[in-house]
Amino acid sequence: MEWRQSLQRLLPFAAPEPQTQLVNRSRMMTYDEPLVWVTLILMLFGMVMVYSASIALPDSPKYANYKNTHFLVRQALFVLLSIAGAAFAFRVRIETWQKIAPYLFVATLILLVMVLIPYVGKGVNGAKRWISLKVINLQPSELMKLFMVLYAADYTVRKQQYMHKLTKGFLPMLAAVGLVGLLLLLEPDLGAFGVIVCIAMGILFLGGINGVWFGGIAATLVGIFTMVILLSPWRRERIFAYLSPFDEDHALGKAYQLTHSLIAFGRGELFGVGLGASVEKLHYLPEAHTDFLLAVIGEELGFAGVLTVILLFYFLVKRAFEIGRQAIALDQTFAGLTAKGIGLWIGVQTFINMGVNLGLLPTKGLTLPLMSYGGSGVMINCVGLAILLRIDYENRVKMRGGRT
């Protein structure tokens, strides 16, 4: 014992005693603490910005009966419910999620059909995407994003031997995605459909689908999206407005949101005009607390605030792929594909929302995950990240030689 202590004094990097090794190993975290903190920071930061973006809404006739804190209180309630839902989801084993994935997918399909039924589906701004549950409005398309991740991962594992065949490997999944797409286009919700297609195609690609078939189907889907836009006059007008937002024919029409979003970013410059000091949220920028929350962040906190949000989401997506890679290395293919699918989902939706706000993409109604106002969106984001944490937890247990 004495010679070992003497050696450690001489060589600080010498191996610790076996007892110290055991203590160090027992102190290793059983969950990804940085991932939890980043998620909480995004939700709480989003709650502050939702309050800032919505505080002036009661001044308009549409929200005249609302209090200044209406959206803040509801968002706080959504966050608490989301954390409770995430805690429950974390306790469910990944093996169980795999077993129920097809049933969750079918149940959400039924909900998407119910949205289209008169007096059941609730419409806002000409789109029927919600089912009213009195306290909260349920948006089935948000549920479908997560359950498509689970279903596509389960499908890829079950059909692994057929992934290089068109009829048995790809076409059944294509039919499922096509049915979801048809229901979403009837709402209409092209943005959610785009995210779901990216999720399904991304998981199939990661699962080892034939490269030739993947390329051909991807090109076909691009053609379908192009035809949907060309055959829809109002979608076509949005594209023209996006290409030239400050044109006098577009600035007060289809490009109204985009122009005011760009003005907000321009006013924010490097460090912003100050928290709560946004001018664009004063009834100039529509949907400032939902789809265009990033524009308010850009105006009030400047480039520094926007960059911080981008880096936080980059960390989430990066960790999702790292956790997925570790799960696959441990022969947990479903868990690995699910983790990467959650990363794809968060990454694609964040990219589209930010792209719309910054004028990189045509205007589309997609919220910023974890941050924008909304119950269904925040809750399902939290449940998805709870499943990601569960995958990481089971990875850590298996690496220690334990059983989940």
Side-chain angles (χ1 to χ4, degrees):
M1 183 69 69
E2 293 178 356
W3 68 265
R4 178 179 286 276
Q5 292 175 349
S6 301
L7 180 62
Q8 286 182 337
R9 282 195 295 270
L10 293 171
L11 300 174
F13 50 84
E17 295 183 49
Q19 184 178 0
T20 307
Q21 288 181 334
L22 183 61
V23 172
N24 289 340
R25 185 173 63 180
S26 65
R27 288 177 179 174
M28 186 187 300
M29 295 297 293
T30 56
Y31 66 97
D32 194 329
E33 188 175 12
L35 183 60
V36 173
W37 279 112
V38 168
T39 302
L40 289 174
I41 288 169
L42 283 170
M43 286 197 296
L44 294 176
F45 181 35
M47 192 164 63
V48 171
M49 296 312 303
V50 164
Y51 179 48
S52 178
S54 63
I55 193 170
L57 286 180
D59 294 341
S60 68
K62 182 178 179 181
Y63 300 104
N65 296 326
Y66 289 26
K67 295 181 179 179
N68 291 336
T69 57
H70 173 83
F71 292 98
L72 171 64
V73 171
R74 287 182 64 84
Q75 186 73 355
L77 176 63
F78 296 152
V79 168
L80 290 175
L81 290 175
S82 299
I83 292 174
F88 174 79
F90 178 79
R91 299 187 64 84
V92 180
R93 298 172 60 192
I94 299 302
E95 181 183 358
T96 303
W97 284 114
Q98 183 175 5
K99 289 178 181 177
I100 64 176
Y103 303 104
L104 293 173
F105 178 77
V106 172
T108 311
L109 274 179
I110 295 172
L111 290 176
L112 286 175
V113 173
M114 290 177 62
V115 167
L116 303 174
I117 299 175
Y119 305 108
V120 176
K122 180 180 178 181
V124 177
N125 296 331
K128 294 184 67 174
R129 302 174 185 173
W130 297 267
I131 297 175
S132 178
L133 301 178
K134 302 301 180 183
V135 178
I136 189 174
N137 292 323
L138 177 66
Q139 190 172 357
S141 61
E142 292 292 337
L143 297 175
M144 182 55 77
K145 293 171 186 174
L146 174 59
F147 297 153
M148 177 57 77
V149 170
L150 297 173
Y151 179 72
D154 174 59
Y155 179 87
T156 303
V157 171
R158 286 189 289 109
K159 301 286 186 177
Q160 190 62 51
Q161 59 181 328
Y162 302 116
M163 292 306 290
H164 289 278
K165 297 181 180 180
L166 179 64
T167 53
K168 292 185 177 181
F170 196 85
L171 286 182
M173 191 65 192
L174 181 64
V177 175
L179 179 57
V180 172
L182 177 62
L183 294 173
L184 289 175
L185 290 177
L186 290 174
E187 292 185 4
D189 194 349
L190 184 62
F193 180 37
V195 173
I196 288 169
V197 167
C198 288
I199 290 170
M201 294 290 289
I203 291 177
L204 289 176
F205 177 76
L206 294 169
I209 194 171
N210 183 287
V212 175
W213 291 121
F214 179 84
I217 297 299
T220 302
L221 288 171
V222 170
I224 292 173
F225 272 99
T226 304
M227 290 299 297
V228 167
I229 293 171
L230 292 177
L231 295 176
S232 176
W234 62 273
R235 288 194 177 104
R236 200 163 58 241
E237 290 175 11
R238 274 190 175 183
I239 295 295
F240 292 140
Y242 151 73
L243 294 173
S244 182
F246 288 99
D247 186 282
E248 60 181 357
D249 295 329
H250 301 147
L252 297 177
K254 293 294 183 181
Y256 181 80
Q257 286 178 303
L258 176 56
T259 54
H260 282 279
S261 178
L262 295 175
I263 291 171
F265 284 112
R267 292 192 73 246
E269 297 185 348
L270 191 58
F271 295 108
V273 297
L275 185 63
S278 168
V279 171
E280 286 299 321
K281 71 183 182 185
L282 303 177
H283 312 296
Y284 293 104
L285 180 62
E287 309 298 335
H289 60 304
T290 54
D291 301 346
F292 284 86
L293 188 67
L294 189 71
V296 178
I297 295 173
E299 185 178 3
E300 296 188 352
L301 302 178
F303 173 77
V306 174
L307 181 61
T308 300
V309 173
I310 291 173
L311 291 176
L312 289 172
F313 276 110
Y314 169 76
F315 175 83
L316 283 186
V317 176
K318 180 174 177 288
R319 278 300 297 143
F321 275 84
E322 289 173 349
I323 292 170
R325 185 166 62 248
Q326 183 64 60
I328 291 174
L330 294 170
D331 292 327
Q332 304 298 311
T333 307
F334 171 79
L337 290 176
T338 298
K340 292 184 178 183
I342 291 170
L344 278 171
W345 162 34
I346 299 294
V348 168
Q349 183 163 334
T350 300
F351 173 76
I352 293 175
N353 177 273
M354 291 182 173
V356 167
N357 277 253
L358 293 166
L360 301 175
L361 297 172
T363 304
K364 198 73 223 76
L366 276 177
T367 57
L368 188 60
L370 296 171
M371 297 186 70
S372 292
Y373 174 79
S376 298
V378 175
M379 181 171 290
I380 207 67
N381 291 155
C382 283
V383 170
L385 290 171
I387 294 173
L388 180 63
L389 280 168
R390 178 71 193 194
I391 294 170
D392 178 66
Y393 166 76
E394 293 190 6
N395 286 349
R396 294 174 188 238
V397 171
K398 287 182 172 64
M399 285 190 289
R400 289 173 172 172
R403 298 178 63 184
T404 57

